[in-house]
Amino acid sequence: MLWLILCIITAGIYSITAFLDNYITDVIFKNKKPQALKVFNGATYLVFALLTAVFFNIDEVPLLNIGLFMLSGVLASVSSIPYYIALKNEEATGAAIFYQIQPLFYLLAGALFFHEAITLPQVIALIIIMIAPAIIILSRQHKKSRQMQIRAGALLVLYVFLLALSGIISTHAGNENNYTTFFVYFLLGRGLSDVTLSLANPSWRKRFKEVTAKKPLQSLGVIALNQLLCIAAEFTSRLALILGVAAVVSALTNSLELILTFLLGIILTKRWPKFGREHLHRHIVIAHLIGTVLCVTGIIILQIAEGV
């Protein structure tokens, strides 16, 4: 049952960071190159990798495993680029609904590479879940806003695919190793990737300096808090994937995150509009609610199919 507790913790953290991401994108970076966050994130991941290696037991593992662990981190790093670009046109609740397709990639990978059977209930569950993003797109009444929603959705699908691929690698490469060992190399891979991308994009470094120069304490404080929460969520989510059934862990975590994000979106938008940043038009709220119900229904069917 530890994996279930980790799912709940992960969902809560990710729900909070979703709104922090929006605040950082909209308010701090003003929708101009928010991926410049990698300038800060890369150094943070490397520092945490070093601290974890110093204070916790790290096993000796084959070079192949080290490469796979670091590749998992690199994929997670790259996935955040389409994610931040998508946030320009997508609110937290809508984005969370698109995350629900992640179990699809886990099940397909299990069938294609690990000879795991896909059952009819799983197919039905995935169809139900896939309807939810379609409803979000159709909830946009104007052609321009619908096109923007489609572009944001496509970017989020790419983000989810890369993140799922990272999770698949961590699940199947880390089962026989000390989890802390995996996490150190994962952070190392992600940190090196972020640093490399930052060095390859001078405009990111310039933008980060511009943002932090204006209100250094406020901007760096929010960015640092968000990064600490993200690292904590990375730890709990990866451990949950290793301890539980990957498809169910992914689906349950995302579904809980969706419910929390939906509720927080309404509350935060009414009290702190810049932080909540949700469209509270009646038809959009109803679409989000229907999407939430569909996803939760799909999750229940998935859990029954897996015998959880």
Side-chain angles (χ1 to χ4, degrees), residues 23-143:
Y23 181 81
I24 291 171
T25 300
D26 286 353
V27 179
I28 295 180
F29 280 88
K30 301 185 185 302
N31 285 321
K32 295 181 181 179
K33 294 185 174 66
Q35 57 268 42
L37 275 171
K38 290 187 175 296
V39 175
F40 179 88
N41 293 352
T44 307
Y45 283 123
L46 292 178
V47 169
F48 269 87
L50 177 61
L51 291 175
T52 306
V54 169
F55 291 104
F56 294 92
N57 180 44
I58 304 300
D59 295 339
E60 292 186 10
V61 296
L63 286 176
L64 177 60
N65 289 65
I66 292 175
L68 290 173
F69 296 160
M70 293 184 67
L71 176 60
S72 179
V74 170
L75 289 170
S77 167
V78 175
S79 72
S80 64
I81 297 176
Y83 170 72
Y84 281 116
I85 296 174
L87 286 186
K88 294 179 181 180
N89 300 313
E90 184 59 87
E91 66 271 20
T93 304
I97 287 176
F98 279 90
Y99 301 163
Q100 309 311 309
I101 66 172
Q102 196 171 52
L104 171 65
F105 298 119
Y106 281 108
L107 291 175
L108 289 177
L112 292 174
F113 302 109
F114 306 107
H115 308 292
E116 298 174 358
I118 299 179
T119 65
L120 180 59
Q122 289 174 328
V123 173
I124 294 173
L126 290 174
I127 291 174
I128 293 173
I129 291 173
M130 293 288 287
I131 292 173
I135 290 176
I136 298 304
I137 293 174
L138 294 174
S139 69
R140 305 299 183 179
Q141 297 179 337
H142 300 290
K143 182 179 179 181

Side-chain angles (χ1 to χ4, degrees), residues 8 12-13 27 39 92 117 129 160 179 189 203 218 223 225 244 301:
I8 296 171
I13 296 176
V27 179
V39 175
I129 291 173
V160 171
Y179 178 70
S203 62
Q218 177 183 343
I223 291 170
L225 174 62
I301 296 174

Side-chain angles (χ1 to χ4, degrees), residues 3 7 103 106 244-253 299 302-303 306-308:
W3 67 268
C7 285
Y106 281 108
V245 178
V248 176
V249 167
S250 171
L252 180 59
T253 301
I299 294 308
L302 268 180
Q303 289 178 312
E306 293 288 346
V308 177

Side-chain angles (χ1 to χ4, degrees), residues 8-293:
I8 296 171
I9 294 173
T10 302
I13 296 176
Y14 275 142
S15 179
I16 294 172
T17 57
F19 293 102
L20 285 173
D21 286 340
N22 280 336
Y23 181 81
I24 291 171
T25 300
D26 286 353
V27 179
I28 295 180
F29 280 88
K30 301 185 185 302
N31 285 321
K32 295 181 181 179
K33 294 185 174 66
Q35 57 268 42
L37 275 171
K38 290 187 175 296
V39 175
F40 179 88
N41 293 352
T44 307
Y45 283 123
L46 292 178
V47 169
F48 269 87
L50 177 61
L51 291 175
T52 306
V54 169
F55 291 104
F56 294 92
N57 180 44
I58 304 300
D59 295 339
E60 292 186 10
V61 296
L63 286 176
L64 177 60
N65 289 65
I66 292 175
L68 290 173
F69 296 160
M70 293 184 67
L71 176 60
S72 179
V74 170
L75 289 170
S77 167
V78 175
S79 72
S80 64
I81 297 176
Y83 170 72
Y84 281 116
I85 296 174
L87 286 186
K88 294 179 181 180
N89 300 313
E90 184 59 87
E91 66 271 20
T93 304
I97 287 176
F98 279 90
Y99 301 163
Q100 309 311 309
I101 66 172
Q102 196 171 52
L104 171 65
F105 298 119
Y106 281 108
L107 291 175
L108 289 177
L112 292 174
F113 302 109
F114 306 107
H115 308 292
E116 298 174 358
I118 299 179
T119 65
L120 180 59
Q122 289 174 328
V123 173
I124 294 173
L126 290 174
I127 291 174
I128 293 173
I129 291 173
M130 293 288 287
I131 292 173
I135 290 176
I136 298 304
I137 293 174
L138 294 174
S139 69
R140 305 299 183 179
Q141 297 179 337
H142 300 290
K143 182 179 179 181
K144 185 177 180 180
S145 62
R146 186 172 296 180
Q147 290 175 341
M148 293 171 62
Q149 179 71 69
I150 292 173
R151 285 196 294 269
L155 288 167
L156 288 170
V157 170
L158 176 59
Y159 160 69
V160 171
F161 169 74
L162 292 172
L163 206 59
L165 187 57
S166 172
I168 290 166
I169 292 173
S170 66
T171 300
H172 292 276
N175 280 333
E176 298 179 358
N177 298 280
N178 181 306
Y179 178 70
T180 309
T181 302
F182 156 76
F183 197 62
V184 167
Y185 288 114
F186 169 83
L187 290 177
L188 184 61
R190 183 156 191 175
L192 289 174
S193 177
D194 280 357
V195 169
T196 301
L197 289 169
S198 298
L199 292 175
N201 291 275
S203 62
W204 292 6
R205 302 196 302 274
K206 180 180 179 181
R207 181 59 182 155
F208 186 79
K209 289 180 181 179
E210 291 174 351
V211 168
T212 54
K214 294 180 180 179
K215 296 181 179 180
L217 291 179
Q218 177 183 343
S219 57
L220 285 175
V222 174
I223 291 170
L225 174 62
N226 190 45
Q227 180 67 351
L228 288 173
L229 290 173
C230 285
I231 291 176
E234 290 281 8
F235 180 85
T236 56
S237 65
R238 303 282 165 168
L239 184 56
L241 284 170
I242 291 175
L243 294 177
V245 178
V248 176
V249 167
S250 171
L252 180 59
T253 301
N254 288 339
S255 193
L256 289 172
E257 177 190 348
L258 176 60
I259 295 171
L260 291 173
T261 303
F262 174 76
L263 295 175
L264 284 175
I266 296 174
I267 297 171
L268 293 175
T269 301
K270 287 185 175 181
R271 294 186 62 88
W272 300 286
K274 288 185 178 181
F275 190 68
R277 185 186 169 264
E278 295 289 297
H279 297 288
L280 296 183
H281 304 296
R282 183 178 179 182
H283 67 281
I284 293 180
V285 173
I286 292 174
H288 287 169
L289 179 60
I290 294 173
T292 301
V293 172

